[in-house]
Amino acid sequence: MEKFSKLKELVAGVEADAEKFYNAGNGAAGTRVRKAMQDLKVLAQEIRTEVTDKKNSGK
């Protein structure tokens, strides 16, 4: 559950940069959004693996 909380924090943290990029055209904010999305992807994959392992170990 700790990783899921971290995932939510990452999404909330990137919100301001996404707004700056999409509404104000700030290129540097776009770079930060791309990095955050990569971090989210990695964390989501870790959560997927953890869920699969836990699900399969219960059988």
Side-chain angles (χ1 to χ4, degrees):
M1 199 63 191
E2 180 182 326
K3 288 183 182 182
F4 189 76
S5 296
K6 187 173 179 181
L7 184 88
K8 291 192 312 187
E9 288 175 16
L10 276 171
V11 170
V14 75
E15 188 173 1
D17 284 327
E19 188 172 320
K20 287 177 188 176
F21 175 70
Y22 287 109
N23 295 333
N26 183 327
T31 300
R32 290 189 297 271
V33 169
R34 284 177 42 85
K35 183 189 181 317
M37 291 297 111
Q38 183 63 35
D39 293 343
L40 284 168
K41 177 183 169 186
V42 168
L43 188 55
Q45 184 61 48
E46 289 175 9
I47 293 170
R48 284 180 47 122
T49 302
E50 191 175 278
V51 167
T52 301
D53 291 345
K54 186 169 183 158
K55 185 180 82 168
N56 290 339
S57 69
K59 289 186 177 178

